[in-house]
Amino acid sequence: EERRKLERFSLSLPAKLETLEGSLLLYTSNVSSDGAFFPTVKPLPAGTSVRISLALSSPQSKSPGDITSLVEI
């Protein structure tokens, strides 16, 4: 049974996840207007603070834009 209320899209965006222990270069596997999924080899512990940077580009832009957010898992 699908629990999500918002539509999710299969979208692979390059991302950098930074924690106190280091950083990971990943790609999203799907996104919605309320979140994104980042597949990892080992899940991060609950309560971990993570700075997420997504590289975005648009056809109108000559250079990619970045979005950075600090979240807690």
Side-chain angles (χ1 to χ4, degrees):
E1 175 183 321
E2 181 64 36
R3 299 176 309 177
R4 295 180 177 95
K5 293 184 167 95
L6 299 171
E7 186 174 5
R8 297 185 76 82
F9 301 92
S10 292
L11 187 59
S12 180
L13 297 172
K16 182 177 181 181
L17 278 65
E18 298 175 83
T19 68
L20 293 175
E21 288 76 37
S23 63
L24 299 167
L25 298 176
L26 304 170
Y27 285 86
T28 61
S29 69
N30 65 59
V31 297
S32 75
S33 62
D34 196 36
F37 179 70
F38 301 92
T40 60
V41 174
K42 180 180 170 190
L44 297 172
T48 301
S49 291
V50 180
R51 180 177 305 278
I52 300 171
S53 300
L54 292 172
L56 305 175
S57 63
S58 73
Q60 296 82 17
S61 174
K62 293 186 179 180
S63 63
D66 291 335
I67 295 177
T68 301
S69 181
L70 182 62
V71 299
E72 188 172 295
I73 294 185

